[in-house]
């Protein structure tokens, strides 16, 4: 999952980036509203953390522009403003959730997980396909109840496919969602990660759709 943080406080922005990367996300960081608006308009994100008090363009304007442009990624508004009117303004502009500073990082990450799950139609914190389970809270993956150790990139790829279970996901889409902006994106590595996941979880867990991409389906006969 790939996230965008738009935050002008350097220390807070970097702390959030470190925490979210540690939680398994690919993260881009913008430090003003103009850069944040550009990235949110031109790149693909699973969720955005948006400060309201930004230089160049304020957060409410950035959010309003995204929504007018048809950008539908979940947005969590983060701000020092704690009045009810600011909360209402953020939600009316198109925010999906609201956290006031100071905050607990664990709560913010939990809210982001919930936003991403809901956006992909998943209500539970556990993503399940047959006997494979991925717990988005702990980052643990099991098969038949036994823990399976995945690398960070393998986990990101499996998590994205589980969030979009039953859909065909192209290599381009996977690259856009598991790597941050600065990563040297090589489409050939996707096939490598898929091969490794199949070795660890079973050869049939991910289906290659020739010319289109990959799909993770519920096993036949499983409700």
């Amino acid at each position: 999952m790939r996230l965008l943080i738009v935050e002008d406080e350097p220390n807070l922005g970097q702390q959030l980036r470190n925490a979210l990367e540690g939680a398994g996300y690919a993260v881009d960081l913008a430090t003003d509203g103009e850069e944040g608006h550009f990235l949110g308009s031109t790149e693909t994100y699973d969720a955005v953390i948006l400060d309201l008090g930004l230089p160049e363009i304020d957060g409410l304007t950035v959010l309003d522009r995204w929504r007018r442009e048809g950008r539908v990624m979940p947005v969590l508004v983060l701000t020092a403003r704690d009045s009810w009117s600011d909360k209402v303004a953020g939600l009316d502009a198109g925010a999906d959730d609201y956290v006031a500073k100071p905050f607990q990082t664990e709560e913010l990450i939990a809210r982001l997980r919930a936003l991403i799950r809901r956006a992909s139609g998943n209500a539970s914190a556990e993503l399940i396909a047959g006997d494979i389970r991925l717990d988005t809270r702990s980052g643990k993956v099991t098969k038949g109840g036994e823990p399976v150790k995945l690398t960070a990139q393998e986990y990101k790829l499996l998590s994205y496919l589980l969030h979009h279970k039953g859909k065909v996901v192209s290599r381009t889409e996977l690259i856009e969602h598991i790597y941050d902006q600065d990563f040297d994106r090589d489409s050939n590595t996707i096939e490598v990660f898929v091969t490794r996941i199949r070795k660890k979880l079973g050869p049939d867990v991910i289906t290659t759709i020739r010319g289109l991409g990959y799909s993770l389906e519920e096993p036949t006969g499983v409700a």
Side-chain angles (χ1 to χ4, degrees):
M1 295 293 159
R2 186 179 175 199
L3 306 178
L4 172 64
I5 300 170
V6 189
E7 170 58 63
D8 65 317
E9 295 181 28
N11 290 337
L12 177 58
Q14 194 56 52
Q15 287 171 9
L16 282 172
R17 184 174 197 168
N18 292 341
L20 289 165
E21 287 179 340
Y25 296 99
V27 183
D28 293 332
L29 174 61
T31 56
D32 63 61
E34 186 173 353
E35 181 187 15
H37 173 256
F38 175 78
L39 287 175
S41 297
T42 58
E43 298 286 337
T44 303
Y45 295 102
D46 296 289
V48 177
I49 301 172
L50 177 67
D51 187 22
L52 291 189
L54 295 168
E56 305 298 338
I57 307 173
D58 70 87
L60 284 178
T61 300
V62 170
L63 179 54
D64 182 65
R65 288 182 182 179
W66 281 338
R67 296 314 192 210
R68 290 177 183 275
E69 292 164 358
R71 306 297 283 179
V72 297
M73 64 281 194
V75 175
L76 186 150
V77 167
L78 179 65
T79 179
R81 306 171 188 175
D82 196 24
S83 72
W84 67 266
S85 59
D86 288 321
K87 294 178 182 180
V88 169
L91 293 170
D92 281 347
D96 299 273
D97 203 353
Y98 191 108
V99 174
K101 302 175 186 177
F103 58 88
Q104 294 294 323
T105 303
E106 292 81 2
E107 178 188 358
L108 183 142
I109 294 176
R111 287 177 177 271
L112 280 173
R113 285 198 302 262
L115 288 178
I116 292 170
R117 288 198 310 269
R118 288 199 296 269
S120 58
N122 295 284
S124 173
E126 276 195 326
L127 305 177
I128 302 171
D131 63 349
I132 297 170
R133 292 174 177 262
L134 185 152
D135 191 325
T136 60
R137 298 161 298 188
S138 65
K140 293 181 179 179
V141 176
T142 60
K143 178 177 173 59
E146 296 297 319
V148 178
K149 187 174 182 180
L150 300 178
T151 67
Q153 295 302 94
E154 290 165 4
Y155 176 88
K156 290 176 184 177
L157 191 150
L158 179 65
S159 174
Y160 191 81
L161 290 176
L162 280 169
H163 273 90
H164 299 84
K165 185 172 63 175
K167 300 177 182 177
V168 178
V169 180
S170 69
R171 282 183 174 85
T172 299
E173 184 175 344
L174 285 169
I175 290 168
E176 289 176 342
H177 286 270
I178 70 173
Y179 294 134
D180 61 40
Q181 184 186 27
D182 298 326
F183 198 93
D184 183 15
R185 303 175 182 183
D186 182 356
S187 63
N188 293 329
T189 62
I190 298 298
E191 183 62 45
V192 173
F193 296 144
V194 168
T195 299
R196 290 177 182 173
I197 291 171
R198 285 171 174 157
K199 288 181 179 179
K200 295 178 180 181
L201 296 177
D204 300 325
V205 63
I206 298 173
T207 302
T208 300
I209 312 298
R210 187 172 298 277
L212 296 176
Y214 301 96
S215 179
L216 193 154
E217 305 280 349
E218 192 71 47
T220 303
V222 177

Short mmCIF file of all heavy atoms in Angstrom, two decimals, residues 37-61:
data_model
loop_
_atom_site.label_atom_id
_atom_site.label_comp_id
_atom_site.label_asym_id
_atom_site.label_seq_id
_atom_site.Cartn_x
_atom_site.Cartn_y
_atom_site.Cartn_z
N HIS A 37 -0.56 18.78 -3.65
CA HIS A 37 -1.63 18.72 -4.66
C HIS A 37 -1.13 18.07 -5.93
O HIS A 37 -1.82 17.23 -6.52
CB HIS A 37 -2.15 20.12 -4.97
CG HIS A 37 -3.11 20.14 -6.11
ND1 HIS A 37 -2.76 20.59 -7.38
CD2 HIS A 37 -4.40 19.71 -6.21
CE1 HIS A 37 -3.79 20.46 -8.19
NE2 HIS A 37 -4.80 19.93 -7.51
N PHE A 38 0.07 18.41 -6.36
CA PHE A 38 0.63 17.84 -7.59
C PHE A 38 0.78 16.33 -7.47
O PHE A 38 0.36 15.58 -8.36
CB PHE A 38 1.98 18.48 -7.90
CG PHE A 38 2.68 17.86 -9.09
CD1 PHE A 38 2.29 18.16 -10.38
CD2 PHE A 38 3.72 16.96 -8.89
CE1 PHE A 38 2.92 17.58 -11.47
CE2 PHE A 38 4.35 16.37 -9.98
CZ PHE A 38 3.95 16.68 -11.27
N LEU A 39 1.37 15.86 -6.35
CA LEU A 39 1.57 14.42 -6.19
C LEU A 39 0.23 13.68 -6.12
O LEU A 39 0.04 12.63 -6.74
CB LEU A 39 2.38 14.14 -4.93
CG LEU A 39 3.88 14.49 -5.00
CD1 LEU A 39 4.53 14.27 -3.64
CD2 LEU A 39 4.57 13.66 -6.06
N GLY A 40 -0.72 14.24 -5.36
CA GLY A 40 -2.02 13.60 -5.24
C GLY A 40 -2.81 13.58 -6.54
O GLY A 40 -3.68 12.73 -6.73
N SER A 41 -2.48 14.51 -7.43
CA SER A 41 -3.18 14.59 -8.72
C SER A 41 -2.54 13.72 -9.79
O SER A 41 -3.21 13.35 -10.76
CB SER A 41 -3.21 16.04 -9.22
OG SER A 41 -3.93 16.87 -8.34
N THR A 42 -1.25 13.43 -9.64
CA THR A 42 -0.53 12.74 -10.71
C THR A 42 -0.05 11.34 -10.35
O THR A 42 0.28 10.55 -11.23
CB THR A 42 0.70 13.57 -11.14
OG1 THR A 42 1.55 13.78 -10.00
CG2 THR A 42 0.28 14.92 -11.70
N GLU A 43 -0.02 11.03 -9.04
CA GLU A 43 0.42 9.71 -8.60
C GLU A 43 -0.78 8.94 -8.04
O GLU A 43 -1.84 9.51 -7.80
CB GLU A 43 1.52 9.83 -7.54
CG GLU A 43 2.78 10.51 -8.04
CD GLU A 43 3.61 9.62 -8.96
OE1 GLU A 43 3.48 8.38 -8.87
OE2 GLU A 43 4.39 10.15 -9.76
N THR A 44 -0.57 7.65 -7.80
CA THR A 44 -1.65 6.79 -7.30
C THR A 44 -1.38 6.42 -5.85
O THR A 44 -0.34 5.82 -5.55
CB THR A 44 -1.75 5.51 -8.15
OG1 THR A 44 -1.94 5.87 -9.52
CG2 THR A 44 -2.92 4.66 -7.69
N TYR A 45 -2.32 6.75 -4.96
CA TYR A 45 -2.15 6.47 -3.53
C TYR A 45 -3.35 5.71 -2.99
O TYR A 45 -4.48 5.89 -3.43
CB TYR A 45 -1.96 7.77 -2.76
CG TYR A 45 -0.69 8.50 -3.11
CD1 TYR A 45 -0.71 9.61 -3.97
CD2 TYR A 45 0.53 8.07 -2.63
CE1 TYR A 45 0.46 10.26 -4.32
CE2 TYR A 45 1.71 8.71 -2.98
CZ TYR A 45 1.66 9.80 -3.82
OH TYR A 45 2.83 10.44 -4.17
N ASP A 46 -3.08 4.87 -1.99
CA ASP A 46 -4.15 4.14 -1.31
C ASP A 46 -4.77 4.97 -0.20
O ASP A 46 -5.90 4.71 0.20
CB ASP A 46 -3.60 2.83 -0.74
CG ASP A 46 -3.14 1.90 -1.86
OD1 ASP A 46 -4.00 1.37 -2.58
OD2 ASP A 46 -1.92 1.73 -2.02
N ALA A 47 -4.04 5.98 0.30
CA ALA A 47 -4.58 6.91 1.29
C ALA A 47 -3.62 8.08 1.42
O ALA A 47 -2.44 7.99 1.06
CB ALA A 47 -4.77 6.23 2.64
N VAL A 48 -4.15 9.19 1.96
CA VAL A 48 -3.36 10.41 2.14
C VAL A 48 -3.55 10.93 3.56
O VAL A 48 -4.66 10.93 4.09
CB VAL A 48 -3.79 11.51 1.14
CG1 VAL A 48 -3.00 12.80 1.40
CG2 VAL A 48 -3.60 11.05 -0.29
N ILE A 49 -2.44 11.37 4.18
CA ILE A 49 -2.49 12.12 5.44
C ILE A 49 -2.24 13.58 5.06
O ILE A 49 -1.18 13.92 4.53
CB ILE A 49 -1.43 11.63 6.43
CG1 ILE A 49 -1.62 10.17 6.75
CG2 ILE A 49 -1.48 12.47 7.71
CD1 ILE A 49 -0.49 9.57 7.56
N LEU A 50 -3.20 14.44 5.33
CA LEU A 50 -3.15 15.83 4.86
C LEU A 50 -3.27 16.81 6.01
O LEU A 50 -4.29 16.86 6.69
CB LEU A 50 -4.28 16.06 3.85
CG LEU A 50 -4.44 17.47 3.29
CD1 LEU A 50 -3.24 17.85 2.42
CD2 LEU A 50 -5.73 17.59 2.50
N ASP A 51 -2.22 17.61 6.22
CA ASP A 51 -2.28 18.69 7.20
C ASP A 51 -3.09 19.84 6.60
O ASP A 51 -3.05 20.08 5.39
CB ASP A 51 -0.86 19.15 7.53
CG ASP A 51 -0.82 20.16 8.67
OD1 ASP A 51 -1.78 20.19 9.46
OD2 ASP A 51 0.16 20.91 8.76
N LEU A 52 -3.83 20.55 7.44
CA LEU A 52 -4.62 21.68 6.93
C LEU A 52 -3.81 22.96 6.85
O LEU A 52 -3.97 23.75 5.92
CB LEU A 52 -5.85 21.90 7.81
CG LEU A 52 -6.93 20.83 7.77
CD1 LEU A 52 -8.17 21.31 8.53
CD2 LEU A 52 -7.31 20.46 6.35
N GLY A 53 -2.92 23.20 7.83
CA GLY A 53 -2.16 24.44 7.87
C GLY A 53 -0.89 24.36 7.05
O GLY A 53 0.22 24.28 7.60
N LEU A 54 -1.02 24.39 5.74
CA LEU A 54 0.13 24.22 4.84
C LEU A 54 0.52 25.52 4.17
O LEU A 54 -0.34 26.37 3.91
CB LEU A 54 -0.21 23.21 3.74
CG LEU A 54 -0.48 21.77 4.17
CD1 LEU A 54 -1.07 20.99 3.00
CD2 LEU A 54 0.81 21.11 4.65
N PRO A 55 1.83 25.70 3.87
CA PRO A 55 2.23 26.86 3.07
C PRO A 55 1.88 26.66 1.60
O PRO A 55 1.58 25.54 1.17
CB PRO A 55 3.76 26.89 3.26
CG PRO A 55 4.13 25.48 3.60
CD PRO A 55 2.96 24.91 4.35
N GLU A 56 1.92 27.72 0.82
CA GLU A 56 1.62 27.74 -0.61
C GLU A 56 0.12 27.58 -0.86
O GLU A 56 -0.54 28.50 -1.34
CB GLU A 56 2.40 26.66 -1.38
CG GLU A 56 3.90 26.71 -1.19
CD GLU A 56 4.53 28.00 -1.69
OE1 GLU A 56 3.93 28.68 -2.54
OE2 GLU A 56 5.63 28.34 -1.21
N ILE A 57 -0.45 26.42 -0.55
CA ILE A 57 -1.88 26.18 -0.69
C ILE A 57 -2.35 25.47 0.58
O ILE A 57 -1.74 24.48 0.99
CB ILE A 57 -2.21 25.30 -1.92
CG1 ILE A 57 -1.57 25.85 -3.19
CG2 ILE A 57 -3.72 25.16 -2.10
CD1 ILE A 57 -1.71 24.93 -4.39
N ASP A 58 -3.39 25.97 1.22
CA ASP A 58 -3.84 25.34 2.46
C ASP A 58 -4.48 23.99 2.18
O ASP A 58 -4.93 23.70 1.07
CB ASP A 58 -4.81 26.25 3.22
CG ASP A 58 -6.15 26.37 2.50
OD1 ASP A 58 -7.02 25.52 2.74
OD2 ASP A 58 -6.31 27.31 1.69
N GLY A 59 -4.53 23.15 3.23
CA GLY A 59 -4.99 21.78 3.07
C GLY A 59 -6.41 21.64 2.58
O GLY A 59 -6.72 20.75 1.78
N LEU A 60 -7.31 22.50 3.06
CA LEU A 60 -8.71 22.42 2.61
C LEU A 60 -8.83 22.67 1.12
O LEU A 60 -9.60 22.01 0.42
CB LEU A 60 -9.57 23.42 3.38
CG LEU A 60 -9.95 23.04 4.82
CD1 LEU A 60 -10.77 24.15 5.45
CD2 LEU A 60 -10.74 21.73 4.84
N THR A 61 -8.05 23.63 0.61
CA THR A 61 -8.08 23.92 -0.82
C THR A 61 -7.53 22.75 -1.62
O THR A 61 -8.07 22.38 -2.67
CB THR A 61 -7.26 25.20 -1.13
OG1 THR A 61 -7.83 26.30 -0.41
CG2 THR A 61 -7.27 25.51 -2.61
#
